[in-house]
Amino acid sequence: MKLQIRLFFCGVALLGLASCGDSYVKPDAPIKEVSFTQVHLDDGFWAPRIETNRTVSIPSAFRECEKNGRFDNFAIAGGLKKGEHRGDFSFDDTDPYKVIEGASYSLAVKYDQALDAYLDSVISLIAAAQEPDGYLTTCVTNRCYRLSGWWGKQRWEKINSHELYNSGHLYEAAVAHYQATGKRTLLDVAIRNADLVCQVFGPGEGQIHRPSGHPIIEMALAKLYKVTGNEKYLQTARYFVEETGRGTDGHPLSEYSQDHKPILQQDEIVGHAVRAGYLYSGVADVAALTQDTAYFNALCRIWDNMASKKLYITGGIGSRAQGEGFGPNYELNNHTAYCETCASIANVFWNYRMFLATGDAKYADVLERALYNGVISGVSLSGDKFFYDNPLESMGQHERQRWFGCACCPGNVTRFMASVPLYMYATQANDIYVNLYIQSKAQLTTEANNVTLEQTTAYPWEGKVTLTVRPETEQEFALRLRIPGWAQDSPVPTDLYTFTDKAKAYSISVNGKKVRARLYDGYATIHRRWKAGDVVEVDLPMDVRRVKANELAEDDRGKLAIERGPIMFCLEGKDQPDSLVFNKFIPDGTPMKASYDADLLNGVVVLTGTAKEVEKDGTVKDVAFKAIPYSTWNNRGADQMAVWIPASAEYARITPEPTIASKARTLMIQAPIQKDAPESASVEAWAWGVNDQWEPKHSSDTSKPYHYWWLKNGTLETLAYEFDQPYTVSHVDVYWLDFDHNDGNFRVPESWKLYYKDGKNWKEVEALSPYTVDKDRYNGLDFKPVRTTGLKLAAQLQKGASGGVIEWKVE
């Protein structure tokens, strides 16, 4: 079996080399990762970010854990403190675990005595909270029945309890802490918990038969196996993989958790995006450790669906807020893109594991795209504010926050940023893979040698890279240099996105002499006898290029994105003369100048040129524009932003004149409609999306903001406008939402009524035309004119269905 899987992984590469007549043969050996502790960065891009993570993000996240009761919950569970369990989620325990993991990575790179001592104190709280048999989930130990909707009334009662998710993050933190410090304090806690999990879950009689619910324990158990050598951890990880999609023990099958059918039968990526990325990362670990080609074949099918139909140009995944996950193929809406920060991190995890299994650069290409765009957009340059979702377009309603009630993203960022050097190199027998170009020094251990590699480069701003190779012993081996897809003619390794022009040639030289390195699987392979001091120079063209999306990606039609190197650029209102973005278009072929601005956004390359601007009267004029890296937007306050820019006037948006509706404040009135009911009887909540003046194309057009009644089915729901002043009104137009999603079926309502505000009371309008509930058009209602400061619509949702409004106009 071991030989079979190696042949499967390496067959394409072997054929490629043979056809070139090269005597070199790729080693029949596993590809091994190079620990991040062996790679030390000193560049101007990543090193400052990692230092900010160490000095700002990690301390900030720990402070938030203190403020929000995360540590108190462990103290209460351990009997060290009295009080009520705090927080709103059963998985709040993972917040400290993730920050501990990030802090441990930081300690390994740069020792900090105060941080080391702080971790010891936190770990002592965690250890105290662990029950005698190894169980550890504080809301269960603390009997927090306020959260029983998550976990029930006893251990392991519900598949979505997140108890195993808590365990997985515990193991990840424990392994990182052990490897960074050599201390077993947290590792022993993790081992006791893992032993319990292996005892409770499995195929045997008396064991619980079901998958993990929210994956991460699969790859965490695999990691624990690699540290301890305990075979049962790998067996249990494999069990959770195999149990997915089988519907045993009466648990409901669900696309949301990728549990709709066995993994071996899956061919489309669906459901919650973070769960998907974590699950398939765990499957890749299990497949690699057990040499299982069947699971790897399934992963290839699922990955291909993701990369060819559901991957954003920024490397983000997960288009919908509903279910925090995937929509149908080619649904890549920009304004409403969810692209959760955690999902981009999960995308890196998954692609990294796919690379390790295959040695194919296409996985490293997607990894790099997510790394430089979708991941780091999730954290401010100051290191203390975070995005949960990462849209590719904004009207200015998006703003990073210091913390969230559901705070998975800040902690995930802290643990990921410190580990970036992990993804740079890999070895295979005596050969070396170079996946990322970052100025650094690395100490690599191959099968028969120790090799120092030094990179000198200003990447990603410049494409020149110098690598100095210093093997301890002069030796023949291959140096594999990834030639990114963006430096050729493939933004991504599928037909989802294409460049509108042809790439210029890249060049490689060794000791000043140009070489024609064999290119296969995306790597230029230089096979020679290397001696200390050999210098390799790579020159990747850094031209500004325009990217076109597949025509099936509806929201990107007529638009082009801007890319230079691995960096996606955007227009932000702050940099435009009129502070507007959507009224502009940039034709393909427009010249753009790239220049480095050391004083802007901690130092970035900016693109400048001349765009076309559509005036309110429809005329077009030339205007200067400036584009910045997408990852740095919203660091100077909220503003308009767009990644995909119209290429012609047809797709630009004339800035609309303000209307009664657009100037109104939008509210949900949380109370049943009763005729003449006083305003004081209702509860108001802010709403968004129905008065933004974007015209919907159809009732399933969710590409721009809209309002939906989340988790409401068959109920009477309301939406209200609070006007900026009294108006006399006599007509409204309502465009109803109607589309399918696994988080709820959204349908036009069964019926609706319209009310106007009369003093403190709501009164029904006197309708002069029928109330209609048609799809794919505005539903107009004429009524007897009223002078009022507000209107409210009340929609009776269809039985078993939810609903919503895309746009609501008032005249």
Side-chain angles (χ1 to χ4, degrees), residues 126-128 130-135 170-171 184-199 224 233:
I126 295 169
Q130 187 169 38
E131 297 189 30
D133 64 352
Y135 183 84
L170 168 64
Y171 307 165
R184 293 186 58 97
T185 47
L186 193 57
L187 183 65
D188 287 340
V189 171
I191 287 172
R192 284 193 294 273
N193 184 264
D195 289 344
L196 176 66
V197 168
C198 294
Q199 175 188 331
L224 200 59
Y233 300 148

Side-chain angles (χ1 to χ4, degrees), residues 698-713:
H698 41 73
S699 285
S700 58
D701 182 3
T702 57
S703 64
K704 296 297 186 283
Y706 57 94
H707 176 78
Y708 66 100
W709 290 291
W710 186 50
L711 301 181
K712 302 292 186 180
N713 291 282

Side-chain angles (χ1 to χ4, degrees), residues 402-460:
R402 294 190 182 277
W403 197 248
F404 305 91
C406 175
C408 52
C409 294
N412 229 356
V413 168
T414 63
R415 75 183 184 122
F416 181 82
M417 290 295 285
S419 68
V420 167
L422 170 69
Y423 304 103
M424 287 187 64
Y425 299 106
T427 63
Q428 185 177 31
N430 291 313
D431 293 353
I432 296 171
Y433 284 90
V434 181
N435 276 325
L436 298 178
Y437 299 107
I438 305 173
Q439 183 160 296
S440 57
K441 184 175 182 179
Q443 303 292 338
L444 311 180
T445 301
T446 63
E447 195 172 85
N449 212 340
N450 294 311
V451 181
T452 299
L453 267 186
E454 289 185 58
Q455 282 197 43
T456 304
T457 180
Y459 194 96

Side-chain angles (χ1 to χ4, degrees), residues 48-126:
R49 283 170 167 81
I50 292 171
E51 181 65 6
T52 297
N53 185 63
R54 184 183 76 85
T55 59
V56 178
S57 302
I58 288 172
S60 172
F62 273 139
R63 282 195 299 272
E64 293 293 342
C65 285
E66 293 172 2
K67 282 167 46 180
N68 291 280
R70 302 298 195 258
F71 296 148
D72 288 346
N73 291 338
F74 287 101
I76 293 167
L80 304 176
K81 183 176 183 176
K82 294 187 179 297
E84 293 293 321
H85 186 93
R86 295 175 61 188
D88 298 323
F89 300 99
S90 62
F91 47 85
D92 285 341
D93 292 358
T94 64
D95 295 336
Y97 296 154
K98 284 182 276 193
V99 189
I100 289 171
E101 183 180 349
S104 298
Y105 290 146
S106 291
L107 276 181
V109 174
K110 188 170 184 177
Y111 182 71
D112 182 327
Q113 185 175 2
L115 180 59
D116 192 7
Y118 184 86
L119 290 184
D120 287 343
S121 67
V122 172
I123 290 169
S124 68
L125 289 178
I126 295 169

Side-chain angles (χ1 to χ4, degrees), residues 157-160 209-211 213 243-261:
E157 181 181 322
K158 296 189 175 187
I159 189 172
N160 203 35
H209 301 169
R210 66 172 183 240
E243 198 65 21
T244 300
R246 297 189 183 277
T248 49
D249 266 9
H251 78 268
L253 295 173
S254 169
E255 283 192 358
Y256 175 76
S257 299
Q258 297 77 44
D259 194 24
H260 52 301
K261 54 186 174 183

Side-chain angles (χ1 to χ4, degrees), residues 482-514:
R482 183 177 66 91
I483 305 301
W486 61 256
Q488 302 177 71
D489 286 314
S490 301
V492 297
T494 66
D495 67 353
L496 184 54
Y497 303 107
T498 54
F499 289 117
T500 62
D501 63 354
K502 291 292 183 182
K504 293 183 180 178
Y506 63 90
S507 65
I508 301 173
S509 63
V510 177
N511 296 330
K513 183 178 181 180
K514 285 193 175 182

